[in-house]
Amino acid sequence: MKMTRLFLVATMACFSFVAAQAQTVDEIIDKYLAQTGGKDKWMALTSVKTTGKAKAQGMDLPIVMYQKAPNKMKLAINIQGKEIIQPAFDGTTAWTTNFMTMKPEKMTTEQSENMKDEAQLQDPFINYKGKGYKAELEGKETIEGTECNKIKLTRKPVKVEGKEEENVTYYFFSVADNVPILTRSTIKQGQAKGMVQETSMSDYQEVNGLFMPFTITQKMNGQAVFSMTAEKIETNVAIDDKTFAYPEGN
């Protein structure tokens, strides 16, 4: 009987620990959404247009990023008067500008299929369980002197060469500010396959009641490859679906 009681106590303690972990994850997420504008305001977001400058290979380049719910997106970079798309997605087809031919080129069917989830405008942490995602707290980690809560977000699997692979991104939420300052993931496809990609977010500013990062920097295996500084962010603006469509006649 004593052993049974001990087993029950141990089992209850185990379940309590798991529940506390899950609750802690949800508390961090709920606080993040609340502090950056509130869940309802985030859910009411229908489009975002970001105008700014990008820095790549030592050059400062004008850029415009278009995003429209549920999952349309387009990044247009101006290089010496020419518009380079890197990439675009119209909800079905992903495409980009081929640097060799300077013409639009459709991405693979597999890449387009993966973009359906990856290009979602809605914050991935909103109703993440309903989306089939999983969020886990993996303790704390210090990022460039800032103590962070490390959350592992597992989204829908991606397809790589016909096989499904786990789709994991680690988010680092500043303990002091409760906003993500870094994401970390491993690239699954293309020439950079296998490389660790880190995206840092900083300079959070208010945009129509929502707080968004105005500076984003990407690193590959620790080396900075791209940074973007927003000069203006507009929300819930009208964006024609034709903006995202693959150009006819190509």
Side-chain angles (χ1 to χ4, degrees):
M1 188 62 125
K2 184 176 180 181
M3 288 297 293
T4 302
R5 285 200 301 270
L6 287 174
F7 174 75
L8 288 173
V9 169
T11 303
M12 290 294 289
C14 180
F15 279 123
S16 297
F17 175 75
V18 172
Q21 287 289 91
Q23 186 179 22
T24 302
V25 170
D26 289 337
E27 284 177 351
I28 293 169
I29 292 170
D30 289 345
K31 191 174 290 187
Y32 152 61
L33 294 173
Q35 289 189 185
T36 54
K39 185 177 180 180
D40 290 343
K41 207 165 187 66
W42 279 112
M43 291 182 70
L45 189 65
T46 59
S47 67
V48 179
K49 180 182 177 182
T50 303
T51 306
K53 293 279 181 66
K55 185 179 287 292
Q57 297 181 348
M59 296 185 292
D60 289 323
L61 308 168
I63 62 102
V64 183
M65 168 78 88
Y66 303 91
Q67 296 169 277
K68 184 177 181 179
N71 59 358
K72 295 179 174 67
M73 65 82 61
K74 179 181 177 179
L75 174 59
I77 306 172
N78 190 295
I79 300 178
Q80 297 179 343
K82 295 182 179 180
E83 186 179 70
I84 308 296
I85 308 304
Q86 294 291 317
F89 183 64
D90 64 4
T92 303
T93 302
W95 58 279
T96 186
T97 299
N98 185 311
F99 278 108
M100 298 296 291
T101 64
M102 297 304 291
K103 292 183 178 181
E105 184 177 90
K106 290 183 180 180
M107 297 168 71
T108 67
T109 301
E110 193 171 75
Q111 289 170 320
S112 292
E113 197 64 29
N114 289 336
M115 285 285 282
K116 289 181 179 179
D117 186 62
E118 293 173 12
Q120 292 285 337
L121 173 64
Q122 189 178 81
D123 190 294
F125 287 105
I126 292 176
N127 190 29
Y128 71 89
K129 294 175 184 176
K131 295 172 183 174
Y133 300 170
K134 183 179 181 181
E136 303 168 90
L137 179 61
E138 294 203 343
K140 289 183 170 62
E141 187 170 322
T142 300
I143 303 295
E144 296 183 356
T146 300
E147 184 182 27
C148 297
N149 287 307
K150 181 181 179 181
I151 292 179
K152 176 184 177 181
L153 182 69
T154 305
R155 298 175 66 153
K156 293 179 180 178
V158 293
K159 280 194 174 181
V160 181
E161 297 177 358
K163 297 180 180 179
E164 285 192 348
E165 290 195 13
E166 190 178 44
N167 184 11
V168 170
T169 301
Y170 293 93
Y171 286 76
F172 297 86
F173 286 77
S174 165
V175 171
D177 301 323
N178 281 108
V179 295
I181 64 170
L182 183 82
T183 65
R184 182 184 295 152
S185 60
T186 301
I187 297 174
K188 302 287 188 180
Q189 295 173 308
Q191 295 180 341
K193 182 178 179 180
M195 289 187 181
V196 175
Q197 175 178 280
E198 290 187 335
T199 302
S200 62
M201 293 82 71
S202 60
D203 189 21
Y204 277 80
Q205 297 182 36
E206 184 181 356
V207 181
N208 294 331
L210 294 172
F211 283 85
M212 300 179 171
F214 270 59
T215 300
I216 295 175
T217 301
Q218 285 188 338
K219 293 182 179 181
M220 296 282 193
N221 284 355
Q223 298 295 317
V225 294
F226 180 85
S227 66
M228 181 179 77
T229 300
E231 296 171 345
K232 183 179 182 181
I233 298 180
E234 302 167 85
T235 60
N236 296 336
V237 293
I239 303 176
D240 195 314
D241 285 343
K242 293 179 181 178
T243 302
F244 310 95
Y246 182 75
E248 295 295 332
N250 290 280

